[in-house]
Amino acid sequence: MKTIQRIVRFAKVKTFAFKCIAVGAALALVATACLAQLASTQLIGGRQTAQAATASRTLTVTLTAKRGRILDANGTVLAQSVERYTIVANPEAAQEFTPITCNDTTRDYCHEIDGKPVGATGAAAVGRLLAKALDMNAMELGAKMSGTGQYVILKKDVTPQVKRSIAALNLGGIVWGELSSERLYADGDVMGALLGGVNAEGVGVAGIEQMENEALTGTDGHQTYQRGNGGEEIPGTMTESVAAKDGEDVTLTIDRDVQWYVKKVLKDAKSKYGATWAIAVVQDVSSGEILALADSDEVKAGSDEAKMSVSRAVSETFEPGSVGKVISMSGYLQTGLHKMTDQLTVPDHTTQNGQTFKDSFEHGSERWTLAGILQNSSNVGMVLAGLNYTDEQRYEYLTKFGIGQATGLHLPGESTGVLTSPSSWDLRTRNTVLFGQGYTVNALQLNNVVATIANKGVKQQQSIIKSTSSTAGSSDATAQGKATRVVDEKVAADMMNGMESVAEGYSKFVKVDGYRMAAKSGTAEVQGADGKLSSIISDYSVVIPADNPRYAVTVVLKDPNGVFGGLTAGPVSAQICEFLMQKYEVPVSSPRKDAIPVTW
């Protein structure tokens, strides 16, 4: 019996031992597996895990290049980009946000609004904290941060001061500022559509901003570093840094003071004469540099209107009227067909090839020299003087003076006007081109006609860009365009003499005390909105001083009360000329002693 009991006890012990051994083996296997996994993590996957952690902290930030400035001829800033920030939030982080109550211990990193608890959690709390700094509705901000994702723009173009106020709200890792820039223009509508503007990406889309976009645009840089939980850079983790290269500054030939005054005068003239619009050009005679290019339109530079518009001073074309006689008469002299002293008998009308031409006023048969025909602006005299002036010669001198051709300024939206070939002229057009009708010009082209005469017959390439310069200080002057001789110096001198007699004829209305002027007025009937010749262009081109030419000025008015160019555009040009003489302290003129007779 005892033997049997011993056998049973031994069997139980043996079974228990086997169970213990089995459990121990299982635990050993688990431990071995854990050790193997730990070894794998530490020895095999450790580098990959570390790399993944580093990658999650690594950030590449774009360093935005600043767009170059646009300056006037004297260095006055007309357009510049200033430091601004785009305020960005992480919606997922915002939704998990819980404000920290302010007390003596948490004072440096707590959250409150005007000394009171925030009163909310999540995106709503972040919105309440930001509302005052961003000057936005708290609920609107909260809604922006209630979506999915980790990036949402809250507001663009905030100042550095606003960005600093947001940094003081202890919202690191939830809200931050990204550096950007804003384009500012100094003088509102003084240069308006001529300067143009940039789009949301900072690309020039109109005016000089568009024309010089390549020079003005910089090259962005970047930095790569690791950031902490608050979004801050971890010191010593910068792995790459490429500095941004700012765009070049562009210096114009425009003198801001002259541009401002001309703009003011044009606005006043539009109001005074009830004109639809007014345009003016001021040009340095010897260099071809444009000192002012303005119109009466009230368009603010950088505005949506400026980005979608073209400067009227560049785009508007018109028949020049009698100012065009300067071109034809120069051709008469240069080809040897006439001299300025040639004597003609001029009635107030003439019929040629079945076409009748009349002067603007009735008169008997006048004994005028060629200079007298110019002074009295006789269409009939121009037709009679041009009887042996061929169609090819008429076209040749129009083109030599730049009619129907681009000015070379490359301003966006520039219209070149219309000059058809002689083969398309009818019996009337071949004669109307002699006195400024039958073709169209822009104000820049017309002004360069009288500037060419004033420059002793040499046509300068007009320019509006003086130079470009980098932030490093290097400067590149814009290459001077090729000058071309249009007429001989003697021809130009005789034309200046005749134009001075024109100016003397208007001296009661158009004068600058102490200075001689050489000028030509124009009045042309043009097509109106009704499709008929119901509109008027009145213009006046003047050189001052006539005895030592410095500046050429052209003023153009559309549908002014008073009609005639010498009585409307003329006085406006005199205001501009007087300002130029005072600003640049030009010496007064010597008395005139060489006037070519206008009658015989």
Side-chain angles (χ1 to χ4, degrees), residues 38-104:
L38 179 61
S40 174
T41 301
Q42 293 290 329
L43 301 177
I44 300 173
R47 178 176 297 179
Q48 295 176 347
T49 303
Q51 288 176 343
T54 300
S56 68
R57 296 194 303 268
T58 300
L59 179 70
T60 298
V61 177
T62 298
L63 303 177
T64 305
K66 186 179 291 185
R67 189 172 176 83
R69 300 176 299 172
I70 300 177
L71 313 172
D72 89 329
N74 302 310
T76 300
V77 177
L78 302 173
Q80 64 179 324
S81 295
V82 295
E83 180 182 346
R84 291 292 183 263
Y85 289 87
T86 298
I87 302 303
V88 178
N90 181 332
E92 292 182 2
Q95 292 164 34
E96 296 176 359
F97 172 70
T98 299
I100 297 174
T101 303
C102 291
N103 53 46
D104 293 341

Side-chain angles (χ1 to χ4, degrees), residues 467-548:
S467 65
T468 58
S469 57
S470 68
T471 53
S474 62
S475 180
D476 295 315
T478 301
Q480 185 79 12
K482 183 180 179 181
T484 56
R485 178 165 290 283
V486 178
V487 295
D488 294 340
E489 190 169 335
K490 176 64 166 60
V491 170
D494 286 347
M495 286 301 303
M496 282 291 291
N497 195 308
M499 290 168 63
E500 191 166 357
S501 294
V502 172
E504 288 179 349
Y506 284 103
S507 59
K508 290 184 179 180
F509 315 100
V510 187
K511 66 177 181 177
V512 178
D513 291 339
Y515 296 92
R516 289 160 52 184
M517 305 167 78
K520 188 66 193 82
S521 64
T523 308
E525 291 182 327
V526 296
Q527 183 172 304
D530 57 4
K532 301 177 182 179
L533 295 179
S534 56
S535 279
I536 294 292
I537 288 292
S538 299
D539 49 18
Y540 198 86
S541 293
V542 58
V543 175
I544 188 169
D547 54 325
N548 183 26

Side-chain angles (χ1 to χ4, degrees), residues 235-423:
T237 62
M238 182 79 68
T239 58
E240 187 176 16
S241 180
V242 177
K245 182 181 179 182
D246 292 340
E248 295 180 326
D249 289 343
V250 173
T251 299
L252 308 182
T253 62
I254 298 286
D255 185 319
R256 184 263 174 197
D257 292 343
V258 179
Q259 179 79 13
W260 173 85
Y261 185 78
V262 171
K263 183 81 175 184
K264 176 183 180 301
V265 167
L266 292 179
K267 287 183 180 180
D268 293 344
K270 178 184 176 184
S271 176
K272 178 179 180 180
Y273 295 108
T276 305
W277 48 255
I279 295 172
V281 183
V282 179
Q283 179 175 334
D284 184 284
V285 165
S286 61
S287 68
E289 292 183 348
I290 304 300
L291 304 182
L293 180 59
D295 57 62
S296 57
D297 294 348
E298 298 186 34
V299 177
K300 290 187 177 181
S303 67
D304 289 342
E305 186 176 1
K307 296 172 191 177
M308 295 185 291
S309 303
V310 174
S311 168
R312 185 183 297 277
V314 172
S315 64
E316 198 73 54
T317 58
F318 49 89
E319 290 188 344
S322 291
V323 180
K325 290 171 181 169
V326 171
I327 299 173
S328 301
M329 193 164 286
S330 296
Y332 295 167
L333 301 183
Q334 184 64 34
T335 58
L337 180 62
H338 286 293
K339 299 187 294 295
M340 212 64 168
T341 54
D342 283 359
Q343 301 171 347
L344 289 87
T345 299
V346 184
D348 66 358
H349 69 277
T350 185
T351 300
Q352 303 292 330
N353 297 316
Q355 300 293 316
T356 299
F357 303 93
K358 298 180 179 180
D359 281 340
S360 60
F361 60 98
E362 294 183 0
H363 60 80
S365 292
E366 300 289 347
R367 299 198 299 179
W368 287 330
T369 63
L370 207 65
I373 290 173
L374 188 66
Q375 184 190 50
N376 289 280
S377 199
S378 171
N379 294 344
V380 173
M382 291 299 295
V383 171
L384 295 178
L387 290 177
N388 294 317
Y389 191 54
T390 68
D391 289 0
E392 289 70 25
Q393 288 172 327
R394 299 172 195 212
Y395 183 79
E396 176 187 359
Y397 281 92
L398 285 165
T399 55
K400 280 186 173 181
F401 275 99
I403 306 305
Q405 302 166 53
T407 61
L409 293 176
H410 306 297
L411 288 164
E414 178 185 340
S415 298
T416 59
V418 176
L419 174 63
T420 57
S421 64
S423 62

Side-chain angles (χ1 to χ4, degrees), residues 100-110 112:
I100 297 174
T101 303
C102 291
N103 53 46
D104 293 341
T105 303
T106 63
R107 183 60 58 186
D108 293 336
Y109 54 88
C110 66
E112 61 183 11

